[in-house]
């Protein structure tokens, strides 16, 4: 009788877990157990790969059984259990060899080559785990979130990995919302013009600083200021410089007989301002790259051109710029990706008001203004997909160009 | 043919010596253009920071009355500390500085602790997943932070660690580790392998070889990584906004400063706050410019 009740309970619990949930539990437990087994066996001079295998099996069994029975079913319990297991392993890995337990000579089945590889895995595992947990897993899981109707208020007791209620509603809502296409187009315009301007400014700065002049080191230092200063403080000073009432720029405009403008909140100027800000803040990055490349151009090239009678402008056009081609290519790609993804700058400057809404700010607005996790994840997925396609095209084009 | 070329060269050389040759005209023009640009760049890059200092010592009333006062009066300079004191005491900047220092220093320590052995493994040890690892490093640091922000927000909410500092430190580490690995790896590759081989033959274990041989040789690279990591953690605001906004006790300096940006707070205080957050970065920069520039280009800071 008791056994039957128990059995029923298990069946009930089983039905509550979807295949995806079980798979993710198994995966995480396999990872947690495998890592524990690896280090434990390593410290005991046993074959760490056997330890990892054993750990995976034990982990999966404990994890899935725990989830099915309902002991380890919340994310919190989940993390706590893993934490306990890892701490116990760590103590065992340190204490057991000290107590001379299980410590023999090296496992004879392990080759020198494998021992070196195992050491490498051991040294890299912590980094690998952090990157998996904080970057790769969220990236993948964002896809699942984008197809689920989740509101911010559902969060506390949401079943994280449920596969129920899969729907395209989030995408419908986002794509059909007013201004979404505008936002996407605006993001492109912002990214391309900001990137090109930043590279152009960086090129000019590098051309200036490449030769000696009095105060060169100081100027070189100043040139990096916009880039190294905390974003929040440069945003605040821009806001004050362009303030309509007492901003210095408006004083100049006033003195020149112009009309005062609230640059950062007037739709006519705000978008230009955020592009200029982007160029101003990130040109030092381009500057450093270009300067390093310019200084690596051999002097002979210039000497030869000079002998042939090439004027300075021709030397710039026919020697320096062609030598910088590859750097421009790399810079454009890097800056394009990072500007396209960039959230803080424009969010802090205008909050997306006055025709400066970008796709990254849209993600934030969906999460905190619309309080909708699903649509936020959907916009994020669209962003990642667009970026992926563009980078793909760029590489294809670049490769063809190179051949 | 040869004589013709020679004559040609001599002719051009003669032309170049005349005052209004293309060479000289362009050089003169270039010189003027160069100084104009130097002035332009100094004004656009250094002046905003001077203005930040300027506005932080002048009371808001004076700023409104004399918006263009370039140099504060002696009286204002004598009382320059007022705004800073208000910010530090009344607006809890002490707490934020503490939080920011804690987060940055722990991020730096943990990143170095993991990245140094990791980079050693990628450079010196032979294993099958090696090239995969190198590609992975590159890939990871292209990922959009805002995209991983949403799922992390959900998970952190469920775990109840959203407002906690350890939670955000792990996120910062995921951003700094790939770059740190990349930078250290390119440095380790320049070190001769014979040195550590000698240590290994003498019976040192791999770990003590890293500690006793590699580390002392890598001080410049480690300094670059430490500075880079510190600045990333010190300046970061996206994840701070996402995760910490609801728990004022864990606000970092950038977040605290942003929360101060409201209509009620006088701009003088805002600028004092900006100076407080900017000064450490600029000071570190001037002391360690060489290391930092290396870090900025080698790793290519994610910006």
């Amino acid at each position: 009788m008791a056994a039957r009740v128990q059995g029923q309970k298990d069946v009930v619990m089983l039905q509550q877990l979807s295949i995806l949930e079980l798979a993710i539990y198994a995966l995480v437990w396999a990872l947690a157990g495998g890592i524990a087994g690896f280090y434990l066996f390593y410290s005991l001079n046993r074959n760490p790969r056997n330890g990892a295998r054993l750990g995976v099996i034990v982990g999966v069994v404990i994890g899935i059984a725990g989830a099915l029975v309902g002991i380890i079913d919340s994310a919190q319990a989940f993390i706590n259990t893993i934490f306990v297991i890892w701490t116990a392993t760590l103590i065992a890995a340190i204490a057991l060899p000290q107590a001379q337990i299980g410590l023999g000579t090296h496992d004879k089945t392990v080759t020198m080559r494998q021992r070196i590889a195992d050491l490498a895995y051991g040294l890299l595992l912590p980094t690998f785990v952090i990157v998996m947990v904080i970057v790769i897993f969220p990236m993948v899981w964002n896809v699942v979130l984008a197809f689920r109707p989740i509101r911010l208020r559902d969060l506390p007791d949401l079943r994280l990995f449920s596969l129920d209620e899969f729907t395209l509603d989030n995408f419908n809502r986002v794509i059909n919302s007013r201004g979404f296409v505008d936002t996407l187009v605006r993001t492109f315009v912002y990214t391309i013009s900001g990137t090109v301007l930043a590279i152009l400014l960086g090129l000019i700065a590098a051309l200036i600083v490449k030769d000696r002049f009095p105060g060169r080191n100081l100027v070189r230092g100043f040139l990096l200021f916009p880039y190294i200063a905390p974003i929040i403080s440069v945003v605040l000073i821009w806001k004050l410089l362009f303030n309509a009432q007492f901003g210095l720029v408006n004083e100049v405009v006033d003195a020149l007989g112009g009309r005062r403008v609230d640059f950062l909140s007037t739709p006519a100027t705000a978008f230009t301002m955020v592009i200029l800000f982007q160029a101003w803040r990130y040109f030092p990055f381009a500057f450093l790259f270009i300067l390093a490349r310019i200084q690596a151009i051999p002097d002979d090239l210039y000497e030869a051109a000079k002998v042939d009678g090439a004027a300075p402008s021709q030397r710039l056009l026919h020697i320096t710029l062609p030598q910088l081609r590859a750097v421009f290519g790399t810079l454009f790609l890097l800056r394009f990706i990072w500007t396209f993804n960039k959230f803080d700058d424009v969010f802090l400057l205008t909050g997306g008001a006055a025709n400066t809404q970008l796709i990254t700010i849209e993600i934030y607005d969906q999460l905190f203004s619309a309080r909708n996790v699903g649509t936020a994840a959907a916009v994020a997925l669209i962003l990642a997909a667009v970026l992926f396609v563009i980078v793909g095209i760029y590489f294809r084009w670049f490769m063809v160009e190179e051949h | 043919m040869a004589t013709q070329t020679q004559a040609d060269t001599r002719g051009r050389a003669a032309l170049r010596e005349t005052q209004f040759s293309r060479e000289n005209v362009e050089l003169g023009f270039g010189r003027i253009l160069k100084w104009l640009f130097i002035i332009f760049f100094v004004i656009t890059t250094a002046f905003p920071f001077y203005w930040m200092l300027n506005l932080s010592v002048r009371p808001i009333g004076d700023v409104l009355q004399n918006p263009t006062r370039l140099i504060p009066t002696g009286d204002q300079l004598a009382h320059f500390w007022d705004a800073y004191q208000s910010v530090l005491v009344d607006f809890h900047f002490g707490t934020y500085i503490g939080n920011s220092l804690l987060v940055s220093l722990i991020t730096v320590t943990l990143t170095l602790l993991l990245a140094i052995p990791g980079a050693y493994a990628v450079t010196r040890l032979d294993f099958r997943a090696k090239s995969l690892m190198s590609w992975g490093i590159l890939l990871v640091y292209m990922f959009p932070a805002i995209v991983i922000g949403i799922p992390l927000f959900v998970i952190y909410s469920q775990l109840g660690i959203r407002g906690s500092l350890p939670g955000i430190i792990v996120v910062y580490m995921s951003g700094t580790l790939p770059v740190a690995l990349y930078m250290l790896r390119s440095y380790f590759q320049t070190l001769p392998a014979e040195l550590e081989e000698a240590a290994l033959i003498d019976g040192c274990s791999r770990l003590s070889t890293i500690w006793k041989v590699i580390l002392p040789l890598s001080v410049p690279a480690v300094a670059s990584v430490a500075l880079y990591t510190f600045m990333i953690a010190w300046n970061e605001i996206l994840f701070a906004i996402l995760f910490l906004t609801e728990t004022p006790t864990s606000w970092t300096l950038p977040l605290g400063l942003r929360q101060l940006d409201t209509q009620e707070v006088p701009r003088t205080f805002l600028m004092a706050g900006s100076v407080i957050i900017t000064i450490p970065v600029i000071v570190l920069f001037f002391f360690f410019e060489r290391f930092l520039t290396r870090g900025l280009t080698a790793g290519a800071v994610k910006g």
Side-chain angles (χ1 to χ4, degrees):
Chain A
M1 183 67 185
R4 219 192 60 152
V5 172
Q6 186 64 41
Q8 263 181 351
K9 189 172 173 241
D10 280 353
V11 170
V12 172
M13 296 305 295
L14 256 172
Q15 283 171 341
Q16 277 191 1
L17 292 171
S18 71
I19 300 294
L20 180 73
E21 275 173 304
L22 271 182
I24 289 185
Y25 278 140
L27 195 73
V28 175
W29 280 106
L31 196 66
I35 289 167
F38 185 92
Y39 284 114
L40 189 62
F41 273 51
Y42 195 96
S43 76
L44 298 176
N45 273 341
R46 298 286 137 208
N47 186 347
R49 293 179 191 191
N50 289 339
R53 283 179 200 117
L54 190 67
V56 166
I57 295 167
V58 173
V60 169
V61 170
I62 293 181
I64 292 193
L68 288 178
V69 177
I71 307 170
I72 322 173
D73 53 355
S74 74
Q76 192 118 38
F78 205 69
I79 292 288
N80 287 343
T81 321
I82 290 180
F83 185 72
V84 168
I85 291 178
W86 277 3
T87 316
T89 313
L90 190 68
I91 293 170
I94 295 169
L96 288 182
Q98 293 287 332
Q100 304 284 320
I101 296 170
L103 194 68
T105 45
H106 285 286
D107 193 327
K108 290 289 187 298
T109 58
V110 181
T111 60
M112 185 65 192
R113 193 184 165 77
Q114 192 202 320
R115 212 175 303 148
I116 287 178
D118 285 342
L119 176 65
Y121 293 131
L123 296 179
L124 282 164
L125 259 180
T127 305
F128 179 74
V129 171
I130 289 181
V131 170
M132 279 305 276
V133 172
I134 303 292
V135 183
I136 309 288
F137 171 70
M139 195 78 189
V140 174
W141 190 39
N142 185 67
V143 179
V144 180
L145 284 180
F147 290 97
R148 291 182 60 194
I150 306 169
R151 298 287 180 150
L152 203 52
R153 61 163 186 273
D154 303 334
L155 276 195
D157 18 60
L158 175 76
R159 281 177 57 214
L160 282 182
F161 307 112
S162 163
L163 265 183
D164 314 339
E165 308 176 273
F166 246 57
T167 153
L168 283 169
D169 283 358
N170 294 332
F171 290 96
N172 277 333
R173 188 170 304 178
V174 166
I175 293 170
N176 295 328
S177 70
R178 262 187 49 200
F180 184 74
V181 177
D182 292 342
T183 302
L184 207 58
V185 172
R186 192 180 302 116
T187 306
F188 270 106
V189 176
Y190 166 75
T191 307
I192 293 174
S193 44
T195 301
V196 171
L197 264 179
I199 296 179
L200 195 69
L201 275 179
L203 173 67
I204 296 172
L207 288 174
I208 293 173
V209 172
K210 79 177 180 6
D211 300 312
R212 267 174 211 290
F213 61 85
R216 174 180 172 222
N217 281 339
L218 196 65
V219 171
R220 222 181 78 107
F222 285 157
L223 284 175
L224 298 176
F225 273 20
Y227 187 54
I228 56 169
I231 177 73
I232 182 70
S233 69
V234 293
V235 162
L236 289 176
I237 189 65
W238 266 60
K239 279 185 168 182
L240 288 198
L241 279 170
F242 292 98
N243 183 295
Q245 288 178 326
F246 55 87
L248 204 57
V249 176
N250 268 312
E251 293 302 321
V252 176
V253 169
D254 224 14
L256 295 176
R259 217 162 45 88
R260 284 172 178 272
V261 188
D262 200 347
F263 286 98
L264 284 162
S265 43
T266 311
T269 53
F271 188 55
T272 315
M273 289 301 295
V274 297
I275 292 174
L276 288 178
F277 181 84
Q278 166 74 22
W280 176 81
R281 179 153 164 88
Y282 297 102
F283 88 84
F285 179 81
F287 157 72
L288 283 174
F289 265 75
I290 295 172
L291 184 66
R293 185 67 194 85
I294 282 184
Q295 284 169 340
I297 299 175
D299 281 337
D300 316 0
L301 283 179
Y302 290 109
E303 290 303 323
K306 226 171 162 176
V307 170
D308 284 346
S313 62
Q314 291 169 315
R315 302 202 284 267
L316 174 69
L317 213 61
H318 297 294
I319 300 177
T320 315
L321 291 185
Q323 290 276 333
L324 293 175
R325 254 179 73 100
V327 180
F328 287 145
T330 316
L331 273 176
F332 187 81
L333 181 68
L334 286 177
R335 289 277 11 127
F336 185 95
I337 294 175
W338 288 334
T339 312
F340 200 78
N341 293 336
K342 198 65 187 171
F343 165 78
D344 347 5
D345 304 21
V346 179
F347 177 74
L348 295 172
L349 266 177
T350 67
N355 283 337
T356 57
Q357 180 74 331
L358 300 177
I359 193 158
T360 47
I361 303 177
E362 185 67 35
I363 298 175
Y364 180 91
D365 286 347
Q366 291 291 345
L367 185 61
F368 290 110
S369 305
R371 305 185 69 73
N372 192 331
V373 178
T375 49
V379 180
L381 187 60
I382 294 173
L383 168 88
V386 170
L387 196 66
F388 186 77
V389 169
I390 293 171
V391 173
I393 292 173
Y394 184 90
F395 265 110
R396 236 198 136 77
W397 176 76
F398 203 65
M399 294 303 176
V400 170
E401 186 94 324
E402 290 294 285
H403 281 300
Chain B
M1 185 71 189
T3 47
Q4 196 191 344
T5 317
Q6 218 169 16
D8 203 35
T9 313
R10 209 177 300 133
R12 282 193 182 152
L15 191 70
R16 222 179 303 130
E17 276 155 26
T18 61
Q19 206 180 350
F20 294 107
S21 68
R22 184 171 176 184
E23 174 86 12
N24 283 349
V25 170
E26 282 195 3
L27 277 181
F29 185 65
R31 211 167 291 133
I32 296 169
L33 210 61
K34 177 175 158 180
W35 280 101
L36 284 178
F37 269 120
I38 290 175
I39 294 167
F40 166 79
F41 274 116
V42 169
I43 290 177
T44 51
T45 56
F47 183 76
F49 292 91
Y50 168 73
W51 200 238
M52 190 190 281
L53 262 177
N54 178 308
L55 291 183
S56 78
V57 299
R58 292 163 55 203
I60 188 68
D62 182 60
V63 175
L64 288 170
Q65 269 182 353
N66 308 299
T68 53
R69 192 197 289 283
L70 281 182
I71 298 164
T73 62
D75 190 44
Q76 287 165 354
L77 283 177
H79 290 97
F80 86 94
W81 188 242
D82 292 2
Y84 289 86
Q85 194 171 7
S86 300
V87 165
L88 287 172
V89 179
D90 306 338
F91 292 103
H92 316 294
F93 261 51
T95 315
Y96 309 152
I97 292 175
N99 285 340
S100 262
L101 271 179
L102 195 74
V103 168
S104 312
L105 293 178
I106 294 181
T107 306
V108 170
T109 315
L110 290 180
T111 300
L112 286 177
L113 213 63
L114 296 187
I116 292 172
Y120 177 84
V122 181
T123 348
R124 287 287 194 267
L125 303 177
D126 200 26
F127 57 102
R128 215 183 303 157
K130 198 166 170 171
S131 62
L132 191 78
M133 210 73 195
S134 310
W135 271 102
I137 293 171
L138 255 161
L139 207 71
V140 162
Y141 107 108
M142 296 281 159
F143 272 170
I146 185 86
V147 175
I148 63 171
I150 307 293
L152 277 179
F153 180 87
V154 174
I155 298 176
Y156 273 30
S157 303
Q158 283 238 324
L159 294 178
I161 56 170
R162 203 176 71 212
S164 76
L165 293 181
I168 208 150
I169 288 172
V170 180
V171 176
Y172 290 173
M173 283 175 67
S174 76
T176 55
L177 270 173
V179 186
L181 267 177
Y182 183 80
M183 282 165 68
L184 286 171
R185 188 187 62 166
S186 38
Y187 189 82
F188 287 170
Q189 280 167 346
T190 64
L191 297 177
E194 289 80 17
L195 284 170
E196 49 196 276
E197 273 159 19
L200 286 174
I201 290 166
D202 284 349
C204 266
S205 73
R206 288 276 182 179
L207 287 181
S208 62
T209 310
I210 296 179
W211 181 249
K212 287 179 187 153
V213 181
I214 301 283
L215 214 51
L217 288 172
S218 311
V219 173
V222 172
S224 302
V225 173
L227 272 173
Y228 161 80
T229 311
F230 180 87
M231 278 179 37
I232 291 287
W234 183 263
N235 294 353
E236 208 284 336
I237 194 166
L238 163 56
F239 284 106
I241 291 177
L242 277 183
F243 295 169
L244 304 179
T245 305
E246 284 165 29
T247 32
T249 46
S250 341
W251 284 356
T252 56
L253 210 37
L255 184 57
L257 191 54
R258 171 182 136 78
Q259 301 302 92
L260 213 59
D261 184 16
T262 58
Q263 288 299 325
E264 298 85 54
V265 179
R267 304 290 102 175
T268 312
F269 292 169
L270 266 188
M271 287 297 103
S274 299
V275 172
I276 291 174
I277 188 175
T278 312
I279 289 252
V281 177
I282 302 271
V283 168
L284 275 177
F285 171 71
F286 269 114
F287 272 103
F288 302 103
E289 193 190 339
R290 200 162 46 89
F291 295 137
L292 202 74
T293 316
R294 189 210 309 271
L296 292 174
T297 42
V301 169
K302 188 171 186 166

